[in-house]
Amino acid sequence: MNECMQAAADLPASIEACVIDLDGTLTVGEGLTRGAAELLAATRGAFVVLSNNSSHSPAGLADELARLGLRVAAERIVLAGAETVRLLAAEQPGARVMLIASPVLERLATHAGLVSIDEQPDFVVLARDERFSYERLARAANALRRGAQLIAANADLTHPGPDGTIVPETGALFAALRACCPDIACRVIGKPEPCLFMQALRILGTRPERTLVIGDNPATDGLGAKRSGMPFLRVRDCDVTDTAAWVRAHIHPAGAAR
Ligand SMILES: [Mg+2]
């Protein structure tokens, strides 16, 4: 019995759907993990892809996955950045927001009815922003000093890039902001917080205890699953072949995802 199947011994006898991590589970570097397409096929359509990605739109990521050979509808992709914008727009329609984010996320925010503004915003939204600068840091720190609320897409410090390079993430930008404003409170939307998992369950229409989280990172995927009442199966070495076989044998899709 290998490690994957040992972990599976603790799982429910039957599941209805899967919530599948992206980096390290379906993709690695600029390609697919071993068995990625098999895993999606094994779910018989009862899956959501969930990622702390804070720079893409679901539609943009669906296009990138299609280029790699994975067909995933944008409606089945839950991303930390896009979800941050969606949640804020739902809770605070028309809010005045300073966005430290990619141009793609800025467009999503405007489309959702948020007002993008750098002077006296009510909220500072922090996501992965490759244009982050001293000037933006100073503006955001002073907006917080004047009472704006901070929302971060995720707290990840880095993620691995091609050839082992380091890609600074949203958490690294937050660390710079916290160095300026040590006492600021921050609402985090991404894993391991439950927000994204709850949205995945709404899309799937399944109960948490019958919805399996599949991911490579116990600190984000595993802890997030635990906080959301969902079973977790860890994948290792960028190979989901065994995981796909387990899912195929144990899944009985139900509800909206059938
Ligand atoms: Mg991962």
Side-chain angles (χ1 to χ4, degrees):
M1 181 181 282
N2 64 25
E3 282 183 290
C4 173
M5 291 303 106
Q6 281 176 347
D10 298 328
L11 295 174
S14 177
I15 56 168
E16 294 175 344
C18 297
V19 172
I20 306 175
D21 168 53
L22 186 64
D23 288 322
T25 302
L26 291 177
T27 60
V28 53
E30 295 177 346
L32 298 179
T33 56
R34 191 159 175 263
E38 293 168 57
L39 176 57
L40 292 192
T43 68
R44 284 179 277 154
F47 74 92
V48 158
V49 173
L50 189 154
S51 168
N52 267 358
N53 177 304
S54 69
S55 53
H56 287 66
S57 67
L61 194 62
D63 287 345
E64 289 201 5
L65 290 175
R67 279 193 286 275
L68 295 175
L70 280 189
R71 296 174 67 86
V72 181
E75 294 74 24
R76 291 197 172 268
I77 299 176
V78 176
L79 303 179
E83 195 60 17
T84 299
V85 165
R86 190 191 69 79
L87 275 172
L88 183 56
E91 294 172 2
Q92 304 280 342
R96 295 158 53 91
V97 177
M98 177 181 178
L99 289 157
I100 300 177
S102 67
V104 169
L105 215 62
E106 287 181 348
R107 283 196 289 275
L108 286 181
T110 302
H111 187 69
L114 297 173
V115 177
S116 178
I117 193 163
D118 283 358
E119 298 297 330
Q120 301 191 337
D122 298 318
F123 296 90
V124 173
V125 168
L126 191 60
R128 187 160 80 86
D129 183 1
E130 295 180 357
R131 304 165 300 174
F132 191 69
S133 66
Y134 180 91
E135 188 252 338
R136 300 290 286 162
L137 175 61
R139 278 184 182 272
N142 282 291
L144 297 174
R145 184 182 68 84
R146 286 190 295 267
Q149 297 176 48
L150 179 61
I151 304 177
N154 67 63
D156 300 350
L157 296 174
T158 64
H159 73 248
D163 303 320
T165 53
I166 294 170
V167 180
E169 256 296 343
T170 310
L173 309 187
F174 174 56
L177 205 45
R178 192 168 47 191
C180 302
C181 310
D183 299 325
I184 49 169
C186 180
R187 178 183 179 192
V188 178
I189 302 300
K191 297 181 282 188
E193 301 302 323
C195 270
L196 302 187
F197 297 92
M198 295 299 107
Q199 178 62 5
L201 290 172
R202 276 190 286 273
I203 293 169
L204 290 164
T206 53
R207 293 173 286 162
E209 66 273 16
R210 297 288 296 277
T211 308
L212 177 65
V213 176
I214 299 170
D216 66 314
N217 189 338
T220 52
D221 306 312
L223 183 57
K226 186 177 180 183
R227 288 178 174 175
S228 306
M230 303 160 78
F232 171 61
L233 180 56
R234 183 180 182 182
V235 301
R236 296 169 193 268
D237 304 324
C238 301
D239 184 344
V240 291
T241 310
D242 287 342
T243 308
W246 190 92
V247 167
R248 189 177 299 109
H250 292 83
I251 194 165
H252 296 92
R258 190 188 297 274

PDB file of all heavy atoms in Angstrom, residues 21 23-25 216-217 221, ligand 1:
ATOM      1  N   ASP A  21      -7.065  21.279  -5.898  1.00  0.00           N
ATOM      2  CA  ASP A  21      -6.056  22.333  -5.931  1.00  0.00           C
ATOM      3  C   ASP A  21      -5.427  22.393  -7.332  1.00  0.00           C
ATOM      4  O   ASP A  21      -5.468  21.423  -8.089  1.00  0.00           O
ATOM      5  CB  ASP A  21      -5.010  22.006  -4.859  1.00  0.00           C
ATOM      6  CG  ASP A  21      -3.765  22.859  -4.981  1.00  0.00           C
ATOM      7  OD1 ASP A  21      -3.907  24.096  -5.017  1.00  0.00           O
ATOM      8  OD2 ASP A  21      -2.656  22.286  -5.050  1.00  0.00           O
ATOM      9  N   ASP A  23      -1.925  24.379  -8.400  1.00  0.00           N
ATOM     10  CA  ASP A  23      -0.466  24.264  -8.455  1.00  0.00           C
ATOM     11  C   ASP A  23       0.021  23.073  -7.636  1.00  0.00           C
ATOM     12  O   ASP A  23      -0.268  22.979  -6.443  1.00  0.00           O
ATOM     13  CB  ASP A  23       0.196  25.542  -7.915  1.00  0.00           C
ATOM     14  CG  ASP A  23       0.039  26.701  -8.883  1.00  0.00           C
ATOM     15  OD1 ASP A  23       0.122  26.464 -10.099  1.00  0.00           O
ATOM     16  OD2 ASP A  23      -0.175  27.834  -8.414  1.00  0.00           O
ATOM     17  N   GLY A  24       0.761  22.186  -8.265  1.00  0.00           N
ATOM     18  CA  GLY A  24       1.297  21.019  -7.569  1.00  0.00           C
ATOM     19  C   GLY A  24       0.345  19.834  -7.561  1.00  0.00           C
ATOM     20  O   GLY A  24       0.723  18.735  -7.163  1.00  0.00           O
ATOM     21  N   THR A  25      -0.905  20.065  -8.009  1.00  0.00           N
ATOM     22  CA  THR A  25      -1.899  18.984  -8.035  1.00  0.00           C
ATOM     23  C   THR A  25      -2.344  18.714  -9.478  1.00  0.00           C
ATOM     24  O   THR A  25      -2.277  17.577  -9.937  1.00  0.00           O
ATOM     25  CB  THR A  25      -3.102  19.341  -7.151  1.00  0.00           C
ATOM     26  OG1 THR A  25      -2.628  19.566  -5.812  1.00  0.00           O
ATOM     27  CG2 THR A  25      -4.122  18.212  -7.135  1.00  0.00           C
ATOM     28  N   ASP A 216      -1.799  19.333  -2.601  1.00  0.00           N
ATOM     29  CA  ASP A 216      -0.430  18.943  -2.238  1.00  0.00           C
ATOM     30  C   ASP A 216       0.070  19.630  -0.979  1.00  0.00           C
ATOM     31  O   ASP A 216       1.149  19.319  -0.498  1.00  0.00           O
ATOM     32  CB  ASP A 216       0.524  19.238  -3.405  1.00  0.00           C
ATOM     33  CG  ASP A 216       0.651  20.729  -3.670  1.00  0.00           C
ATOM     34  OD1 ASP A 216      -0.398  21.405  -3.699  1.00  0.00           O
ATOM     35  OD2 ASP A 216       1.784  21.219  -3.829  1.00  0.00           O
ATOM     36  N   ASN A 217      -0.706  20.595  -0.460  1.00  0.00           N
ATOM     37  CA  ASN A 217      -0.186  21.411   0.638  1.00  0.00           C
ATOM     38  C   ASN A 217      -1.046  21.268   1.903  1.00  0.00           C
ATOM     39  O   ASN A 217      -2.149  21.814   1.960  1.00  0.00           O
ATOM     40  CB  ASN A 217      -0.138  22.881   0.197  1.00  0.00           C
ATOM     41  CG  ASN A 217       0.591  23.760   1.195  1.00  0.00           C
ATOM     42  OD1 ASN A 217       0.712  23.422   2.375  1.00  0.00           O
ATOM     43  ND2 ASN A 217       1.090  24.886   0.716  1.00  0.00           N
ATOM     44  N   ASP A 221      -4.335  23.504   1.709  1.00  0.00           N
ATOM     45  CA  ASP A 221      -5.415  22.606   1.282  1.00  0.00           C
ATOM     46  C   ASP A 221      -5.930  21.785   2.470  1.00  0.00           C
ATOM     47  O   ASP A 221      -7.141  21.659   2.678  1.00  0.00           O
ATOM     48  CB  ASP A 221      -4.918  21.645   0.195  1.00  0.00           C
ATOM     49  CG  ASP A 221      -4.291  22.375  -0.977  1.00  0.00           C
ATOM     50  OD1 ASP A 221      -4.915  23.336  -1.467  1.00  0.00           O
ATOM     51  OD2 ASP A 221      -3.187  21.990  -1.400  1.00  0.00           O
TER      52      ASP A 221
HETATM   53 MG    MG B   1      -0.859  23.338  -4.444  1.00  0.00          MG
END
